């Protein structure tokens, strides 16, 4: 079982989009039983809130299944529970390390580091451009899954 924790600032836009996009890709690869995928926030702002409506609209437009959920905060002991802790931008990675401490087992990644155009995924809460966010997250998740497939026995 590969356990994946996506992380963003609020856990209402980017990380839940990544959660449901990867779940969709994993399902289409018939690998549902091999993965546990979830997401969380580094901030407390939106804890308990469902995904932001524009993020939901984008997933509906792309025919990606999602469920009602409640934003939760990343916990220190998530580090031992998950194999991959994947943030969206450098500021995220900094905040993840503040919560978790040292990345002893090299589990912390930035999503677009799995692509050949490593960059931050800008916060659509501020940019308002959910299409760009979707495209970047989709590409990151697709290449992350390829990385897993190529690196597991
Ligand atoms: P996210 O976007 O990190 O992609 O979920 C945000 C949503 C809300 C806030 C910040 C970022 N906020 O500060 O309320």
């Amino acid at each position: 079982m590969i356990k994946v924790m996506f992380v963003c600032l609020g856990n209402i836009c980017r990380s839940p989009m990544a959660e449901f996009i990867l779940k969709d890709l994993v399902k289409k690869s018939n690998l549902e039983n091999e993965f546990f995928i979830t997401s969380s926030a580094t901030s407390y702002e939106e804890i308990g809130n469902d995904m932001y409506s524009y993020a939901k609209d984008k997933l509906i437009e792309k025919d990606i299944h999602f469920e009602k959920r409640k934003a939760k905060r990343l916990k220190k002991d998530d580090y031992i529970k998950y194999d991959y802790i994947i943030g969206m931008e450098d500021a995220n990675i900094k905040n993840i390390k503040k919560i978790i401490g040292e990345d002893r087992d090299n589990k912390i990644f930035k999503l677009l580091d799995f692509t050949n155009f490593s960059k931050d995924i800008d916060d659509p809460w501020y940019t308002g451009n959910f299409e760009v966010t979707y495209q970047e997250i989709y590409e990151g998740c697709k290449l992350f899954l390829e990385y897993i497939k190529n690196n597991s026995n």
Side-chain angles (χ1 to χ4, degrees), residues 110-121 132 135-140 143:
K110 193 164 80 165
L111 183 55
L112 293 184
D113 285 348
F114 293 100
T115 71
N116 58 9
F117 53 95
S118 178
K119 66 181 277 296
D120 284 356
I121 297 177
V132 167
Q135 294 295 343
E136 291 180 347
I137 293 174
Y138 179 82
E139 218 38 46
L143 288 158

Side-chain angles (χ1 to χ4, degrees), residues 5 7 74 79 82-90 92-111 113-114:
M5 170 67 87
V7 185
L74 180 69
Y79 192 72
Y82 290 87
D83 303 301
Y84 293 91
I85 298 177
I86 306 177
M88 301 292 143
E89 57 184 340
D90 288 338
N92 262 164
I93 303 296
K94 235 183 180 171
N95 289 327
I96 290 169
K97 287 180 179 169
K98 268 190 205 162
I99 295 167
I100 275 168
E102 196 193 332
D103 183 15
R104 282 203 199 95
D105 301 320
N106 297 316
K107 294 181 175 185
I108 301 175
F109 298 85
K110 193 164 80 165
L111 183 55
D113 285 348
F114 293 100

Side-chain angles (χ1 to χ4, degrees), residues 5-106:
M5 170 67 87
F6 288 110
V7 185
C8 63
L9 180 60
N11 192 215
I12 60 166
C13 298
R14 293 164 296 175
S15 62
M17 287 175 80
E19 173 186 337
F20 292 115
I21 289 168
L22 184 63
K23 281 178 174 167
D24 184 75
L25 291 168
V26 159
K27 188 172 181 190
K28 285 171 178 156
S29 296
N30 290 319
L31 291 170
E32 266 177 310
N33 295 334
E34 310 293 327
F35 281 83
F36 180 81
I37 305 161
T38 189
S39 62
S40 63
T42 57
S43 78
Y44 290 97
E45 295 297 323
E46 300 288 344
I47 300 307
N49 292 342
D50 198 359
M51 198 169 17
Y52 188 45
S53 58
Y54 288 175
K56 287 186 194 173
D57 290 347
K58 189 49 74 177
L59 294 183
I60 291 167
E61 181 192 320
K62 305 292 181 181
D63 208 15
I64 307 279
H65 172 80
F66 61 88
E67 280 158 17
K68 192 169 166 60
R69 59 184 305 285
K70 287 184 173 179
K72 59 181 183 287
R73 190 165 187 265
L74 180 69
K75 297 191 189 95
K76 188 173 171 67
D77 68 358
D78 285 330
Y79 192 72
I80 45 170
K81 294 184 184 161
Y82 290 87
D83 303 301
Y84 293 91
I85 298 177
I86 306 177
M88 301 292 143
E89 57 184 340
D90 288 338
N92 262 164
I93 303 296
K94 235 183 180 171
N95 289 327
I96 290 169
K97 287 180 179 169
K98 268 190 205 162
I99 295 167
I100 275 168
E102 196 193 332
D103 183 15
R104 282 203 199 95
D105 301 320
N106 297 316

